[in-house]
Amino acid sequence: MPKQTDDSGSAGLAGRRGRAARNDAAILDAAREVFLSDPKAPVAAVAERAGVGMSALYRRYPGKEDLLRRLCHDGLRRWIEEAEAVEAEPDAWKALVVFLERIVDADVHSLTVHLAGTFTPTEEMGRDARRAAELMGRLVERAYAAGLLRRDLVVDDIGLVLEGCAAVRVPDAERTRELRRRFLAMTLAGVAGAGVTGTGEAALPGPAPEPGELNWRWRRPGQSGRV
């Protein structure tokens, strides 16, 4: 008689892995909602929102900082992914606009605004942050070179744009997206160069953000100076 193969073990393993992946996704989705609403909320609120037990949460994230760090690092990776995705776009202005629209839609900057300073970043996060800044700088420089961006705008001004978009929030998620897109479009109309608007430029008021000035949230208690 031919030997029968019992694949129930592998099927069970795949099933467990599938459940683990679904639980992890549910935890991260719940954590975004909970901590964007209240960064001081306990992890128990995340488990309750995700519909998982505390033991399932702690198996993946031993402490609250681990969960916060994962959320922010995922946002940073998304930033890099979207910036790299538009590098091949030949239209410098379209590349910048599409990148910003995608970052605003993904609500990446809200994580920075709400969670910065609540955990200790890793060295890998530092490397990814430098990569993200490099990619952002290239997008802005391309727009400069094409005459599509006003010359008195600096790269860190983009942080102000994204911070303004992140502040727009209403109870309905889709309406939030629409209003943020509207705010972004109005803001970009104000920073477009003559090559886009066909008009002259009035000088922007006030000194431009200094390098690192907008990173104040990442400073730990007792730390001073630029980050």
Side-chain angles (χ1 to χ4, degrees):
M1 173 181 284
K3 184 179 180 179
Q4 293 184 348
T5 301
D6 183 2
D7 61 356
S8 60
S10 61
L13 184 61
R16 287 193 294 273
R17 286 175 176 168
R19 285 193 298 275
R22 288 191 294 273
N23 282 346
D24 195 45
I27 289 169
L28 292 174
D29 286 345
R32 280 181 60 90
E33 294 177 12
V34 168
F35 293 137
L36 283 178
S37 175
D38 179 10
K40 296 181 179 180
V43 290
V46 175
E48 182 179 0
R49 179 73 63 92
V52 302
M54 290 296 293
S55 60
L57 189 150
Y58 280 131
R59 277 197 298 272
R60 292 163 179 79
Y61 305 100
K64 182 176 177 178
E65 275 209 15
D66 299 282
L67 186 51
L68 295 172
R69 191 179 296 112
R70 169 66 185 274
L71 288 174
C72 277
H73 204 171
D74 281 354
L76 188 54
R77 292 186 181 110
R78 177 67 179 271
W79 177 292
I80 292 171
E81 176 187 331
E82 297 296 356
E84 289 177 340
V86 298
E87 282 199 300
E89 169 57 54
D91 185 321
W93 181 253
K94 182 177 180 180
L96 179 62
V97 171
V98 168
F99 166 74
L100 292 175
E101 287 177 343
R102 290 175 178 174
I103 291 300
V104 168
D105 285 351
D107 207 13
V108 168
H109 204 70
S110 289
L111 292 171
T112 299
V113 171
H114 287 79
L115 304 184
T118 61
F119 62 90
T120 302
T122 63
E123 290 185 6
E124 184 183 5
M125 289 184 72
R127 289 192 297 271
D128 283 345
R130 290 189 289 274
R131 172 62 175 163
E134 174 192 354
L135 290 166
M136 187 72 253
R138 291 215 294 256
L139 281 170
V140 170
E141 284 300 324
R142 283 184 60 199
Y144 279 154
L148 303 173
L149 196 64
R150 54 186 308 146
R151 296 298 307 186
D152 56 350
L153 178 138
V154 300
V155 174
D156 283 347
D157 280 317
I158 301 299
L160 294 176
V161 173
L162 291 173
E163 189 149 338
C165 290
V168 178
R169 187 180 297 275
V170 295
D172 181 80
E174 177 58 24
R175 185 59 181 147
T176 294
R177 189 194 72 82
E178 292 174 346
L179 291 173
R180 285 177 173 174
R181 281 289 192 101
R182 180 179 176 85
F183 179 81
L184 178 63
M186 289 188 294
T187 305
L188 289 177
V191 301
V196 174
T197 64
T199 62
E201 302 173 7
L204 289 172
E210 296 181 4
E213 182 179 2
L214 301 179
N215 294 337
W216 63 270
R217 295 183 183 87
W218 291 102
R219 301 184 188 117
R220 305 297 286 177
Q223 181 182 2
S224 61
R226 295 173 182 172
V227 178

